[in-house]
Amino acid sequence: MILSVIIPASNEERWLGACLSALIASDPVAGGAEIIVAANGCRDRTAEVARAAIPEAAAAGWQLTVIERAEGGKPAALNHADRVARGEIRAYLDADVIVSPPLLAALARGLGAREGAAYGSGRPRVTAQSRLSRAYARFWSRLPFARSTAPGFGLFAVNRAGRARWGEFPAIISDDSYVRMLFQPSERIEVAAPYDWPMTEGFAALIRVRRRQDAGVAEIAARWPELLANEGKPRLGAGGVLRLAAADPAGFAAYAAVSLAVRMGRDSGTWARGRQ
């Protein structure tokens, strides 16, 4: 089975090169593999960075296609790339994620072996640079969602039957949460191979990202309330929060400060990745 890795990328010049290098260095995928970079609304050299990786990809057995769209918007970029993808298995990858060498091949094997619809991901390793973001990431990584099976932030994949669960990506904030909740927990697989997912940097950026995450979940709850039954994460409860706080006071302080600021502040309506 062919694996198609789709990367929506908007102004990702600084991160896309490392993402592609890791992909190209991945273990071979039985049946072949392709990468589709959907550069959308870019004001930098994202597309040029992607095209520069074509010879390296070809030498490693990957077909790399670069799509340029003048219009921004992640869902539209995903839909455009999906229309040209050839793979029976589809992986959707953020442009700042770094995969480990065995991850994509393991996902392709695992999803290809499932007869029914299946969703999969690897084990995320949340990375951060600043002291504040490291503390926040450390605590956030211990919450039930991040510890659930195949949480899928930054990278998720589906087999052919799984991709048939939805048509085009809807114009929503949280496409990854939407797709994940189309599958029951028993239909999700997590392979042991990890990937690195960078936490946003700085207090203001953490607030913006957290507010966006909350808005994405609220949007799904409003439009598709039936999907919430597939969330599958255990309830933490007050006792669980206290145990986590006692184990990591600095992490809890960072997480609580961001949560409080989100509740007290107003949304500026802007979105920024917040990387340093």
Side-chain angles (χ1 to χ4, degrees):
M1 292 185 180
I2 297 174
L3 168 69
S4 294
V5 181
I6 294 173
I7 306 175
S10 181
N11 297 321
E12 302 282 5
E13 173 187 354
R14 292 176 59 189
W15 304 281
L16 181 59
C19 173
L20 290 174
S21 292
L23 262 181
I24 293 166
S26 294
D27 294 348
V29 176
E34 66 176 358
I35 303 167
I36 302 173
V37 176
N40 62 98
C42 295
R43 300 179 303 277
D44 65 359
R45 296 180 61 258
T46 293
E48 288 89 336
V49 169
R51 282 193 290 267
I54 290 176
E56 180 186 2
W62 289 80
Q63 178 180 321
L64 173 54
T65 301
V66 182
I67 298 169
E68 287 191 76
R69 291 175 50 86
E71 305 84 3
K74 184 179 180 182
L78 289 168
N79 290 328
H80 192 155
D82 251 336
R83 286 192 287 271
V84 303
R86 300 180 297 120
E88 295 90 347
I89 298 173
R90 305 283 172 94
Y92 302 90
L93 180 68
D94 284 356
D96 56 355
V97 165
I98 305 297
V99 300
S100 62
L103 176 55
L104 274 304
L107 271 177
R109 288 193 301 270
L111 291 171
R114 298 287 288 260
E115 293 185 2
Y119 167 105
S121 188
R123 175 42 44 182
R125 298 184 298 204
V126 182
T127 64
Q129 299 177 18
S130 67
R131 183 176 180 181
L132 172 65
S133 291
R134 286 199 306 270
Y136 181 92
R138 192 171 60 242
F139 191 85
W140 185 84
S141 297
R142 295 184 175 122
L143 295 176
F145 167 70
R147 288 189 170 273
S148 63
T149 299
F153 50 86
L155 168 65
F156 63 89
V158 293
N159 60 6
R160 183 194 292 272
R163 185 59 187 84
R165 283 282 168 92
W166 76 101
E168 290 200 331
F169 282 89
I172 57 175
I173 296 170
S174 188
D175 56 277
D176 50 356
S177 294
Y178 168 75
V179 172
R180 181 175 182 269
M181 285 192 281
L182 290 172
F183 296 82
Q184 297 179 12
S186 62
E187 297 175 311
R188 302 173 193 153
I189 64 170
E190 180 178 289
V191 299
Y195 64 94
D196 291 341
W197 181 83
M199 180 63 69
T200 193
E201 297 290 345
F203 189 65
L206 285 168
I207 293 170
R208 289 195 299 271
V209 170
R210 174 66 181 277
R211 185 174 289 127
R212 184 177 174 86
Q213 291 170 342
D214 291 350
V217 173
E219 183 179 31
I220 292 171
R223 295 180 61 178
W224 302 280
E226 70 280 3
L227 294 183
L228 299 182
N230 289 338
E231 178 60 65
K233 67 180 181 181
R235 293 184 62 84
L236 185 60
V241 172
L242 289 175
R243 286 191 292 273
L244 289 179
D248 185 4
F252 174 72
Y255 185 83
V258 170
S259 300
L260 181 62
V262 167
R263 293 180 183 180
M264 294 181 62
R266 294 187 302 173
D267 194 346
S268 66
T270 60
W271 162 244
R273 184 177 297 280
R275 304 282 183 253
Q276 290 181 338

